[in-house]
Amino acid sequence: MQTNPFDLFETFFGGSMGGFSGMDQSTFRTSRQNTVLQGEDIRYDVVLGFTEAIFGTEKYIILSHLETCDTCGGSGSKAGSKMRICSTCGGRGQVMRTEQTPFGLFSQVSICPTCAGEGEVISEYCRKCSGEGRIRVRKEIKVKIPPGVSKGSTLRVRGEGDAGSKGGPPGDLFVCLDIEEPSDIKRDGINLYSTVSISYLEAILGTIKKVRTVDGTNDLRIPPGTQPGDVIALAKQGVPSLNKPTIRGDHLFTVKVAIPKRISGRERELLEELASLSNGGFVRTDAKPKPAQPKRVHLEKEVGASQEDTDKSKAAGDWLKKLTHFAGSIANGAAKWLKENL
Ligand SMILES: [Zn+2]
Ligand SMILES: [Zn+2]
């Protein structure tokens, strides 16, 4: 059976070819390591309110990170004490292990586990940090959140991660943002989306609706003849662009028109009269129509009654008086507008 020796090596060394580094004697001659490593980065999660994310804010966060011990300056040894040569590696920082394999003796060089490659060890530890060179500190820092950040945005605060070992430079703090979402406003990029519910009379006559925006309560003008599903925008009431805060998105309102399922006898009278205007005689097919098959009366055409037809215009005027009576004050302004424009 033919055997690929390469496969065998992989089997013996568990797929790692690290064993071969031991055959390269040049690495053994290199001087002991004295590495100053940069500290670890830290992640911190912050939940922002909806408007905080839109307009920006300042957050105080309390984080726990490692700082270089100020007593020993990160060395970990007691002040005035001397380092002593590592007895494990004799000061070389590396150790050689020889293994017997079916192919002969293999030597492997690795970093000394006692001194971590330093070649010398601390003889007396710093009391403050117990020789670690770093101490854990709780610290409050202020993070400035710019306007327009979105869910999943990450802010980098340089130098607020863990300090490096042996006095090495610190890593960074990454503040990861999550944002609370209100039920009535949805955000997509720089635009905001809401729905506004109006009555069918308001849709026909137009009205002013109070709506909630991120700037507070605002007036949304519903023009006469608004259709269900129409989108009305409050320009520049959305989210500022993160990169260009002078640019601001819009707040878009999708109109929902409520058609009443039950109406009073008086309302029915008026609506039937209204229907007769457009049909030239409304025919009641059912004295008590089943709710499952409601009779749809389309009113839109009547609102824009043409001026040439004076009879119709007069009739519309009468209807308007009655309508104003029962629609109440909401429709008043719109009715006035309608009168002026008929
Ligand atoms: Zn110390
Ligand atoms: Zn050593």
Side-chain angles (χ1 to χ4, degrees), residues 130-144:
S130 309
E132 292 296 320
R134 300 184 289 182
I135 44 170
R136 188 156 288 281
V137 174
R138 277 167 69 82
K139 186 182 179 185
E140 185 182 61
I141 64 162
K142 187 170 81 174
V143 180
K144 199 169 158 53

Side-chain angles (χ1 to χ4, degrees), residues 81-301:
S81 73
K82 284 178 182 171
M83 300 292 280
R84 63 177 167 80
I85 300 292
C86 174
S87 56
T88 308
C89 61
R92 286 187 301 248
Q94 290 173 319
V95 286
M96 186 163 74
R97 202 169 68 232
T98 305
E99 280 180 81
Q100 176 72 50
T101 77
F103 304 97
L105 285 171
F106 276 90
S107 296
Q108 187 177 352
V109 173
S110 56
I111 290 168
C112 172
T114 307
C115 63
E118 299 296 328
E120 49 187 17
V121 290
I122 292 163
S123 56
E124 269 188 279
Y125 288 120
C126 166
R127 280 192 191 152
K128 191 175 180 185
C129 64
S130 309
E132 292 296 320
R134 300 184 289 182
I135 44 170
R136 188 156 288 281
V137 174
R138 277 167 69 82
K139 186 182 179 185
E140 185 182 61
I141 64 162
K142 187 170 81 174
V143 180
K144 199 169 158 53
I145 315 279
V149 291
S150 50
K151 195 185 180 86
S153 293
T154 304
L155 302 172
R156 181 186 197 148
V157 185
R158 287 191 189 275
E160 291 296 348
D162 284 337
S165 59
K166 315 285 176 201
D172 297 329
L173 168 70
F174 287 91
V175 180
C176 301
L177 303 177
D178 196 6
I179 295 164
E180 289 171 350
E181 282 179 7
S183 57
D184 57 342
I185 303 177
K186 291 272 169 283
R187 179 177 161 183
D188 185 15
I190 60 169
N191 289 330
L192 298 173
Y193 298 87
S194 293
T195 57
V196 59
S197 289
I198 57 171
S199 74
Y200 71 106
L201 294 170
E202 289 172 323
I204 297 163
L205 301 172
T207 187
I208 304 287
K209 276 292 202 189
K210 295 280 181 205
V211 289
R212 195 169 88 87
T213 73
V214 289
D215 294 313
T217 304
N218 251 314
D219 286 343
L220 183 71
R221 192 183 160 272
I222 312 284
T226 293
Q227 306 295 312
D230 276 1
V231 176
I232 301 169
L234 284 177
K236 296 184 193 297
Q237 303 248 310
V239 182
S241 167
L242 185 59
N243 299 318
K244 278 188 175 179
T246 48
I247 295 172
R248 217 178 142 182
D250 302 329
H251 194 155
L252 302 154
F253 292 84
T254 302
V255 176
K256 277 191 174 175
V257 179
I259 308 294
K261 287 182 176 166
R262 285 177 192 168
I263 50 172
S264 69
R266 178 73 182 128
E267 282 173 314
R268 170 164 294 282
E269 244 177 72
L270 287 166
L271 288 171
E272 284 178 356
E273 194 181 332
L274 198 55
S276 70
L277 283 178
S278 56
N279 294 350
F282 174 66
V283 183
R284 286 184 72 157
T285 51
D286 192 349
K288 281 184 181 175
K290 292 162 195 168
Q293 292 165 312
K295 195 96 189 162
R296 284 224 165 138
V297 183
H298 292 278
L299 303 171
E300 294 97 310
K301 286 173 198 162

Side-chain angles (χ1 to χ4, degrees), residues 46-69:
V46 168
V47 180
L48 295 176
F50 191 63
T51 51
E52 283 183 319
I54 289 169
F55 297 116
T57 185
E58 282 176 350
K59 281 275 171 189
Y60 288 89
I61 62 174
I62 295 168
L63 65 98
S64 164
H65 68 180
L66 294 170
E67 290 186 358
T68 299
C69 173

